[in-house]
Amino acid sequence: MESVVALFREPSQAQGALQALLQRGFERDHLGFALTDVVAEDDLAQSTGVSPEAGQPAGSASVIRGSLIGAVAGLALTVPIWLLLLIIPITRIYQQGGLYGMLFGVIGGAALGGLFGALAGSDHGDFVNLLRNMGVPAAQAARFYDGMKSGHVMVIARDPTGQRADEALSLMRKYGAVKLEDAVGGGELHSERH
């Protein structure tokens, strides 16, 4: 299966491209789009009947990253207090309680960080992995995602047979697909076959 990915400056351009692809016989299930503005995303989905891409679930990476950040934050908050308990002579009797405080700070921070990491990963999904699984090289997938984060609309057309990818690419260019260098600085054409 070949995929064509393009970025558009405006949702109206993406809407025109999606409607043209539908009129040319591309199936709704093989088309998708993504943008960071939830309201515009809903409007575009309703006007075209094409479902927005959710990206792949972020998976365990965001949970692990959140847990590590939470554990470090827990240590950063509790170690100074424990050090104060050691430095001040009258409070040295509470140093064991300070150690327990550090332990609970690390455990609590890791748990909350993991929870927030899981929630953050499930909201937006991982568009870089989604594009990589479609055959887009990793560096270019990251640049497409950067373009999307900077306000562009990403449109994806999947061609199961691989015979109509050039047609999809031509239509996307006709409706205003921008060059990648214009969207994120330096690079290749912003609509590409993969």
Side-chain angles (χ1 to χ4, degrees), residues 138-150:
Q140 196 172 2
R143 291 174 58 92
F144 273 114
Y145 183 54
D146 288 342
M148 192 182 94
K149 289 190 303 187
S150 70

Side-chain angles (χ1 to χ4, degrees), residues 67-87:
S67 294
L68 290 174
I69 291 171
V72 169
L75 276 176
L77 292 173
T78 55
V79 167
I81 295 169
W82 180 69
L83 289 174
L84 283 175
L85 292 174
L86 285 177
I87 293 171

Side-chain angles (χ1 to χ4, degrees), residues 55 77 132 170 177:
L77 292 173
R132 288 189 66 202
S170 172

Side-chain angles (χ1 to χ4, degrees), residues 2 4 26 159 162-171 193:
E2 273 196 76
V4 178
F26 284 84
D159 180 23
Q163 298 173 356
R164 299 187 69 196
D166 287 330
E167 180 183 358
L169 182 61
S170 172
L171 278 171
R193 272 180 71 168

